Amino acid sequence: MSKFVVTGGAGFIGSSVVRALLKDGAPRVTVIDNLLSGKLENLDEVKDRVDFHLADIRRYDEIRPLLEGAGAVFHLAAIPSVPRSIKDPVPSHEVNVDGTFQLLRAVSDAGVRRVVYAASSSAYGDTEVLPKVETMAPNPQSPYAAQKLFGEYYCRVFSKCFNLETVALRYFNVYGPRQDPSSPYSGVLSIFMRCVVERRSPTIFGDGEQSRDFTYVEDVAALTVRAAVKGVSGRVYNAGNGNRYTLNEIWKLVQGLEGVSLPASYGPPREGDVRHSQADTAAAARDLGHSPRFSIEEGLKRTLHWYKEQSVAA
Ligand code: UD2
């Protein structure tokens, strides 16, 4: 059985990939995380089957030995958030671009065959046509989008020049249990969940008619694990649900689950925001056999259940 390594494995999505690998039969998973935003508690349930290493992907010498003997590396370590990358572009550039380069170099030098890279739907920017298809020209609108796209290009270049099989998955607005709502840069659904549990109104940036393809974390994790297969090297795939909901619709759905009415406040639109986002999922279905399992209703229900449990435990 192969050794699997997950960078960012203590994070919201990374820890879900760890659980998906274990569920899929991996006896153990190696996690590399600097705990900048990741949390060990995200791995609590599976900690007996995780080899955790506090290490930073920007440091080649730190990560290179940890990759020895790996069959596949899932590269999720990143500093996310469009607005954070505008306010303070240096840290996210260093992690998302330089860190990705160092990771790919270390993976290649360690003789690992395969990397699955967590790319972002932000690479598309605003497009005239929806849904967004992998063949569309990228149009990044923020440092974060450009950084994540650069990571894709590096993956492709490592496939071509350094004999490494890489595949990039453009994650579309992932949500679910363990997403941290505590920062102003947190994903909107984690903020909405906290608001509804605390019976507070959220602030919606702009008119709330912007839309997103909200994708449940377990669907994204399942696709990520599936993508570590032969025959797709150098390719990019959307990791989305194929639907889109406006923020106004989503906030209404969240309130409906709790049977409350908490009208949102509205603030100025956010710089760097994409207006609409929706994935064409045909390529991932065709080449990777992916079919998302969670409807938005089911995903929101499970997510809310988790946030409510957290608030009782607190
Ligand atoms: C982008 C990517 C996503 C992922 C993510 C990582 C797009 C379309 N999506 O997500 O795939 O890579 O970055 O960070 O580029 N908002 C509010 N109130 C709040 C918080 C957010 O109205 O309190 C709005 C925000 O202005 C935006 C939407 O909610 O229109 C989603 O924001 P987000 O930060 O959850 O994710 P987004 O779309 O920047």
Side-chain angles (χ1 to χ4, degrees):
M1 180 70 69
S2 265
K3 167 175 166 180
F4 295 115
V5 179
V6 181
T7 73
F12 155 55
I13 309 176
S15 66
S16 190
V17 170
V18 171
R19 279 187 295 279
L21 284 165
L22 293 170
K23 208 168 130 203
D24 211 41
R28 304 191 65 75
V29 175
T30 298
V31 166
I32 295 175
D33 201 303
N34 67 357
L35 297 182
L36 186 74
S37 57
K39 293 189 186 114
L40 281 177
E41 70 200 50
N42 286 338
L43 293 167
D44 259 355
E45 297 153 53
V46 291
K47 63 173 184 261
D48 296 345
R49 295 165 73 197
V50 166
D51 299 311
F52 178 80
H53 299 277
L54 185 69
D56 194 308
I57 57 160
R58 287 166 290 189
R59 304 214 178 94
Y60 176 92
D61 294 340
E62 252 176 42
I63 56 176
R64 167 74 176 75
L66 307 175
L67 300 164
E68 207 60 54
V73 173
F74 299 86
H75 176 37
L76 282 89
I79 295 187
S81 174
V82 167
R84 181 177 4 210
S85 78
I86 295 174
K87 181 133 196 286
D88 191 13
V90 174
S92 59
H93 178 91
E94 286 177 354
V95 170
N96 299 345
V97 180
D98 300 337
T100 294
F101 172 72
Q102 295 303 349
L103 187 271
L104 291 171
R105 191 163 80 88
V107 164
S108 170
D109 292 350
V112 180
R113 286 235 312 278
R114 203 163 284 160
V115 171
V116 179
Y117 167 68
S120 166
S121 68
S122 59
Y124 289 108
D126 286 317
T127 58
E128 276 173 26
V129 178
L130 293 170
K132 302 185 181 192
V133 191
E134 292 88 342
T135 48
M136 287 174 171
N139 177 25
Q141 290 177 189
S142 63
Y144 169 73
Q147 293 156 9
K148 278 284 163 181
L149 180 61
F150 213 88
E152 283 183 24
Y153 290 152
Y154 255 141
C155 284
R156 200 171 342 137
V157 165
F158 270 77
S159 297
K160 284 192 188 301
C161 306
F162 301 105
N163 199 25
L164 183 67
E165 292 179 28
T166 65
V167 60
L169 301 176
R170 288 182 177 166
Y171 291 174
F172 277 70
N173 290 72
V174 184
Y175 73 99
R178 299 183 181 80
Q179 189 169 24
D180 182 359
S182 65
S183 141
Y185 303 126
S186 297
V188 69
L189 262 174
S190 69
I191 294 172
F192 280 7
M193 290 293 165
R194 182 185 250 187
C195 282
V196 83
V197 169
E198 295 174 357
R199 302 291 190 259
R200 286 188 291 110
S201 294
T203 301
I204 290 180
F205 303 132
D207 61 4
E209 288 303 298
Q210 66 268 48
S211 62
R212 294 291 182 268
D213 188 343
F214 291 105
T215 305
Y216 191 62
V217 65
E218 283 185 38
D219 276 332
V220 163
L223 175 59
T224 304
V225 169
R226 268 172 179 265
V229 291
K230 269 199 190 128
V232 291
S233 184
R235 301 286 307 267
V236 173
Y237 292 98
N238 287 340
N241 244 318
N243 300 314
R244 68 188 175 96
Y245 295 87
T246 66
L247 292 190
N248 290 328
E249 286 168 338
I250 278 287
W251 178 233
K252 202 166 157 196
L253 282 174
V254 172
Q255 291 173 89
L257 287 174
E258 276 293 78
V260 293
S261 173
L262 298 160
S265 323
Y266 289 82
R270 209 171 67 175
E271 217 186 329
D273 242 18
V274 165
R275 184 69 178 160
H276 298 297
S277 184
Q278 182 180 12
D280 183 307
T281 56
R286 184 192 62 220
D287 295 355
L288 302 170
H290 179 58
S291 111
R293 286 175 50 221
F294 295 91
S295 65
I296 191 77
E297 290 80 9
E298 184 59 27
L300 289 177
K301 219 166 79 188
R302 287 174 182 237
T303 307
L304 181 58
H305 178 74
W306 185 84
Y307 282 89
K308 286 172 84 169
E309 271 185 356
Q310 299 304 298
S311 96
V312 171

